[in-house]
């Protein structure tokens, strides 16, 4: 069964450093998403992406964050200058089309630790 | 804005017990409702969904009915197994929104003991 994959599974970085989290969505999916879950808190929406554009972003997704689909398979989340409060589990998700856009398939997550 | 409230855990049960996890929502539009499950060390998996009032979603013995009048989507399973130990998230998606984002509840940890 096709699945969303994410790399790395765990990333440790120092405050102020740039990080890139990588995702490979399911191959025929068209809609892509990033969510994050700070330890012990809710899963929070960050951004949705379709047709090489951001469809929607949350208040969390400020100028420090960016997303990109650099080729036909990868979908990346970049944090330019990490802060301690960026420490969280980051989940990538994808969905197949506009009719079933709500049916999102999640990757296993990348745990980001900012020290 | 949209929000989802679910009962706090942990919920500890014995095998074959009945499980209910309450979920209520607030939405400006006409949302679709979901339950996601997160097993230890894994990502979120879609467990079941309902897209309109009175729809019943079901999967793996779990059921939830979309109740518009009470804005609820409670998850139930008649006889849990140890393998059902996980964190369960109720979520909604406002189909009128451009980005199709999911809004999650806080999650309920369920521990099933043999």
């Amino acid at each position: 069964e096709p699945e969303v994959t994410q790399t790395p599974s765990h990333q440790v970085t120092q405050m102020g450093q740039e990080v890139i989290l990588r995702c490979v969505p399911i191959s025929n999916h068209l809609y892509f998403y990033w969510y994050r879950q700070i330890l012990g808190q809710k899963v929070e929406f960050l951004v949705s992406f379709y047709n090489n554009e951001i469809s929607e972003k949350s208040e969390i997704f400020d100028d420090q964050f960016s997303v990109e689909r650099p080729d036909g398979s990868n979908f990346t989340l970049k944090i330019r200058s990490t802060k301690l409060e960026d420490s969280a589990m980051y989940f990538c998700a994808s969905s197949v089309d506009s009719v079933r856009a709500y049916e999102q398939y999640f990757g296993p997550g990348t745990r980001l630790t900012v020290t | 804005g949209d929000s989802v409230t679910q009962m706090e855990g942990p919920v500890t049960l014995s095998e074959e017990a009945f499980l209910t996890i309450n979920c209520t929502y607030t939405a400006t539009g006409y949302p679709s409702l979901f339950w996601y499950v997160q097993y230890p060390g894994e990502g979120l998996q879609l467990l079941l969904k309902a897209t309109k009032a009175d729809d019943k979603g079901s999967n793996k013995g779990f059921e939830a009915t979309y109740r518009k009048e009470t804005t609820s989507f409670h998850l139930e399973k008649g006889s849990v197994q140890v393998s059902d130990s996980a964190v369960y998230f109720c979520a909604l998606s406002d189909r009128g929104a451009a980005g199709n984002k999911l809004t999650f509840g806080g999650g309920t940890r369920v521990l099933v003991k043999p």
Side-chain angles (χ1 to χ4, degrees), chain A residues 31 33 35 37 40-45 48 55-56 58 89 91 95 97-98 101-109, chain B residues 3-5 32 34 36 38 41-46 49 51 89 93 95 97-106:
Chain A
Y31 294 76
Y33 313 85
Y35 294 81
Q37 184 182 28
Q41 298 187 25
K42 290 187 178 186
V43 177
E44 302 172 291
F45 169 79
S48 58
S55 306
E56 186 178 3
S58 71
M89 181 74 88
F91 293 105
S95 57
D97 57 29
S98 60
Y102 56 79
E103 194 163 331
Q104 296 176 22
Y105 292 83
F106 283 75
Chain B
S3 68
V4 176
T5 303
S32 295
F34 310 90
Y36 279 81
Q38 185 178 31
E42 299 184 14
L44 296 159
Q45 297 177 27
L46 179 62
K49 66 181 186 291
T51 58
F89 293 90
S93 176
R95 288 173 289 167
N100 304 304
K101 70 176 184 182
L102 288 168
T103 300
F104 286 89

Side-chain angles (χ1 to χ4, degrees), chain B residues 2-6 21-33 35 52-54 65-75 90-92:
Chain B
D2 297 344
S3 68
V4 176
T5 303
Q6 59 182 107
I21 304 176
N22 290 339
C23 170
T24 57
Y25 67 90
T26 303
T28 52
Y30 193 2
S32 295
L33 302 174
W35 278 98
K52 60 182 187 297
D54 299 326
T65 301
Y66 190 143
R67 300 287 188 202
K68 190 178 178 187
E69 64 276 14
T70 54
T71 62
S72 64
F73 192 55
H74 305 322
L75 183 69
C90 186
L92 69 81

Side-chain angles (χ1 to χ4, degrees), chain A:
Chain A
E1 185 175 329
E3 57 183 20
V4 176
T5 60
Q6 290 185 243
T7 55
S9 57
H10 191 190
Q11 172 95 44
V12 181
T13 189
Q14 289 190 328
M15 195 168 52
Q17 295 297 303
E18 175 183 285
V19 294
I20 297 176
L21 309 183
R22 303 181 191 279
C23 168
V24 179
I26 295 173
S27 62
N28 64 332
H29 284 193
L30 302 176
Y31 294 76
F32 314 112
Y33 313 85
W34 284 101
Y35 294 81
R36 79 173 186 188
Q37 184 182 28
I38 296 172
L39 187 64
Q41 298 187 25
K42 290 187 178 186
V43 177
E44 302 172 291
F45 169 79
L46 293 178
V47 65
S48 58
F49 190 86
Y50 169 71
N51 199 25
N52 281 321
E53 290 184 342
I54 290 175
S55 306
E56 186 178 3
K57 59 183 181 179
S58 71
E59 293 175 351
I60 303 166
F61 195 88
D62 61 22
D63 292 344
Q64 293 299 312
F65 291 87
S66 62
V67 289
E68 191 178 31
R69 187 151 163 83
D71 53 41
S73 59
N74 289 282
F75 180 52
T76 62
L77 174 69
K78 180 192 291 186
I79 309 175
R80 290 191 183 82
S81 178
T82 50
K83 299 182 276 238
L84 293 175
E85 54 265 37
D86 293 327
S87 295
M89 181 74 88
Y90 288 80
F91 293 105
C92 173
S94 67
S95 57
V96 61
D97 57 29
S98 60
V99 174
R100 289 169 288 175
Y102 56 79
E103 194 163 331
Q104 296 176 22
Y105 292 83
F106 283 75
T110 293
R111 181 169 298 284
L112 177 64
T113 303
V114 182
T115 61

